[in-house]
Amino acid sequence: MERAYLCIDLKCFYASVECVDRGYDPFERRLVVADPTRGPKTICLAISPAMKALGVRNRCRVFEIPDTIDYEMAPPRMRRYMEVSADIYSLYLRFFSPEDIHVYSVDECFIDVAPYLTLYRKTPRELAVDLVELVRRETGICATAGVGTNLFLAKVALDVTAKHAPDNIGELTEETFKCKIWPHRPITDIWGIGPGIARRLEQLGARTLGEVALLPEQALYDEFGINAELLIDHAWGIEPCTMAEIHAYQPKAHSLASGQVLACDYTFDEARVVLQEMVDGIVLDLVEKGLAGGHVSLYVGYAHERRGWGEEDEGAGGRTFTGEHGTRVLGREAPHAAVSRKLEQTTNSRALLSRRFLALYDEMVDPNRAIRRVNIGVGALVPEEFAGLTLFTDVEAEAAEHRLAQTTIAVKRRFGKNALLRGTSFKPKATARERNEQVGGHHE
């Protein structure tokens, strides 16, 4: 059977949803999705195609939009975007089995159309045209599509060639891939190659995917380790992974994580309060899922001492990269502190996890630096019935704590996440109450 995949993306999805809901044409209305309460430095989550046509970069900050452009700002409505995404997914299910669909993100998915070519008596491109027209007709959202003989080619066709196609549909095979993509620049347009990997490839003498294909394989393995296998395959347009293998994949280990970017600079003590709230939240997640963890990790990102990533940084010897997610300096990591530790016992106890996380925080974080990001994780997860005990474990106290957690979960599930809170969440600069009313870090 011929291998054929589609990769479908919803163009400027958040902004298009806002335009359609307001009765606008996304290709004519200048609209930006951003939270006006977060000030001019907030990131635009999406801009309408009409804004892109004026040269405005997606994922820019509000203050970067030229003053000469008049536009409308729409606050993010994450729940609404999820609803529209689910509606569009239901359109795909009219024609394809869920076993042949892989949802890649809220606005993008892959479809294995090979089993349906005979059934519908259409080529992969004709199926892509039908789906794009269906989405536009039913929802008013413009979709773009990539057609390829493997998943990687479908993704690259979407990201690179569909942008220049009059019908918003790109198509690649292993042979046309070499002609169209090998010489393409910038190489960061290729899926899986970010600015960091691009910089390392350039040091090896490769600025295009064609030049990567000509590099000695051993040089790539020396630089990237096992990940070089992926680069080598993609340089030749090869992707052996199938849709069935994606659905059958089972990770060797599981973890739960929580993270947030703080709205302003936090002091050592203020961020410590936020950390405690995050630990409380992840403990409830563990109890609700019936899991216990044996490994913890903590990441704290400091505020930059210099302003932004502009000419000052570049003049200091750094090279800047501007992409879909803003501008940053290549070859320089943001200042941070990070640590991970194995626990003495597998647990989902709030007392034990709080004590461990706060001890790590006090040990590793510089109390004299402002903090802008906090991330925590609990790994090596197992069913809670396998939670470990030590000679010092207070079994009765842990059982009482577990019952309290289960009761808290029941109350929150029935009356809302803010129905029952610890006193910590009422301290100045605490964030849990506000985040409990958000979806994806934004107000609903």
Side-chain angles (χ1 to χ4, degrees), residues 14 33-35 38 42-45 59 75-79 81 434-444:
Y14 297 168
V33 178
D35 188 346
R38 299 189 180 186
T42 188
I43 293 178
C44 300
L45 297 184
R59 302 286 292 181
R77 298 185 297 157
M78 305 306 293
R79 193 175 301 278
Y81 308 147
E434 181 180 3
R435 288 179 64 82
N436 284 342
E437 297 176 350
Q438 298 177 344
V439 176
H442 298 274
H443 293 288
E444 299 182 22

Side-chain angles (χ1 to χ4, degrees), residues 8 127-137 141-145 167-169:
I8 302 179
L127 285 176
V129 170
D130 289 346
L131 289 178
V132 168
E133 291 178 349
L134 175 66
V135 171
R136 186 64 180 267
R137 184 173 63 252
I141 305 295
C142 177
T144 60
D167 59 358
N168 295 321
I169 297 175

Side-chain angles (χ1 to χ4, degrees), residues 159-177:
D159 292 342
V160 179
T161 64
K163 295 179 179 179
H164 308 289
D167 59 358
N168 295 321
I169 297 175
E171 190 169 5
L172 287 174
T173 65
E174 284 85 348
E175 293 305 316
T176 58
F177 169 82

Side-chain angles (χ1 to χ4, degrees), residues 10 16 28 57 183-184 195 210 214 239 258-259 280 328 338 378 425:
L10 307 175
S16 294
E28 296 181 359
R57 179 175 51 82
H184 178 82
L214 296 177
E239 177 52 71
S258 175
D280 291 344
R328 58 186 182 272
V378 178
S425 297

Side-chain angles (χ1 to χ4, degrees), residues 148-443:
T149 48
N150 62 48
L151 292 165
F152 173 70
L153 292 180
K155 175 64 173 169
V156 175
L158 171 73
D159 292 342
V160 179
T161 64
K163 295 179 179 179
H164 308 289
D167 59 358
N168 295 321
I169 297 175
E171 190 169 5
L172 287 174
T173 65
E174 284 85 348
E175 293 305 316
T176 58
F177 169 82
K178 297 174 184 177
C179 300
K180 297 179 179 180
I181 305 302
W182 268 6
H184 178 82
R185 292 184 65 180
I187 196 173
T188 51
D189 285 346
I190 307 302
W191 181 87
I193 300 181
I197 293 178
R199 176 177 53 84
R200 294 163 68 183
L201 287 172
E202 185 174 348
Q203 291 174 347
L204 295 177
R207 296 187 178 184
T208 66
L209 212 56
E211 292 172 343
V212 174
L214 296 177
L215 288 175
E217 290 189 3
Q218 190 57 51
L220 289 169
Y221 279 107
D222 291 342
E223 178 65 27
F224 297 100
I226 190 62
N227 290 330
E229 182 176 347
L230 192 65
L231 276 173
I232 294 168
D233 278 353
H234 287 179
W236 290 95
I238 298 171
E239 177 52 71
C241 183
T242 64
M243 190 69 70
E245 289 172 327
I246 290 175
H247 287 293
Y249 173 73
Q250 293 290 337
K252 293 182 179 179
H254 298 269
S255 64
L256 285 179
S258 175
Q260 58 180 292
V261 177
L262 304 174
C264 62
D265 290 356
Y266 272 52
T267 66
F268 177 87
D269 291 333
E270 291 169 342
R272 199 174 190 271
V273 171
V274 173
L275 172 63
Q276 181 63 72
E277 290 184 302
M278 294 171 66
V279 174
D280 291 344
I282 208 167
V283 166
L284 292 179
D285 282 345
L286 288 169
V287 174
E288 187 172 18
K289 292 177 170 63
L291 300 171
H295 184 273
V296 295
S297 59
L298 173 64
Y299 172 97
V300 173
Y302 298 118
H304 291 286
E305 296 179 357
R306 288 187 294 178
R307 184 177 300 172
W309 296 101
E311 296 178 357
E312 179 185 0
D313 291 324
E314 190 171 5
R319 292 178 52 202
T320 60
F321 171 82
T322 300
E324 290 289 295
H325 301 284
T327 301
R328 58 186 182 272
V329 175
L330 298 182
R332 192 184 78 176
E333 294 185 356
H336 68 275
V339 66
S340 62
R341 292 286 188 274
K342 184 177 180 180
L343 296 175
E344 295 79 10
Q345 65 183 88
T346 305
T347 183
N348 59 11
S349 164
R350 175 184 182 273
L352 291 177
L353 290 174
S354 294
R355 186 163 60 246
R356 196 68 171 111
F357 272 111
L358 293 176
L360 289 176
Y361 181 87
D362 294 338
E363 172 189 335
M364 61 173 271
V365 176
D366 185 346
N368 299 312
R369 302 195 66 169
I371 295 170
R372 291 301 295 265
R373 184 187 294 268
V374 181
N375 295 76
I376 65 172
V378 178
L381 299 181
V382 297
E384 63 181 359
E385 53 264 31
F386 297 111
L389 299 174
T390 70
L391 292 175
F392 305 100
T393 301
D394 188 335
V395 178
E396 291 185 1
E398 286 202 5
E401 181 188 303
H402 193 273
R403 290 194 297 271
L404 177 60
Q406 290 178 320
T407 302
T408 302
I409 292 168
V411 171
K412 288 176 175 286
R413 187 182 294 130
R414 182 172 181 180
F415 299 104
K417 294 181 179 180
N418 280 335
L420 190 59
L421 297 167
R422 292 185 178 271
T424 303
S425 297
F426 293 91
K427 291 184 176 181
K429 294 293 188 76
T431 62
R433 285 184 295 163
E434 181 180 3
R435 288 179 64 82
N436 284 342
E437 297 176 350
Q438 298 177 344
V439 176
H442 298 274
H443 293 288

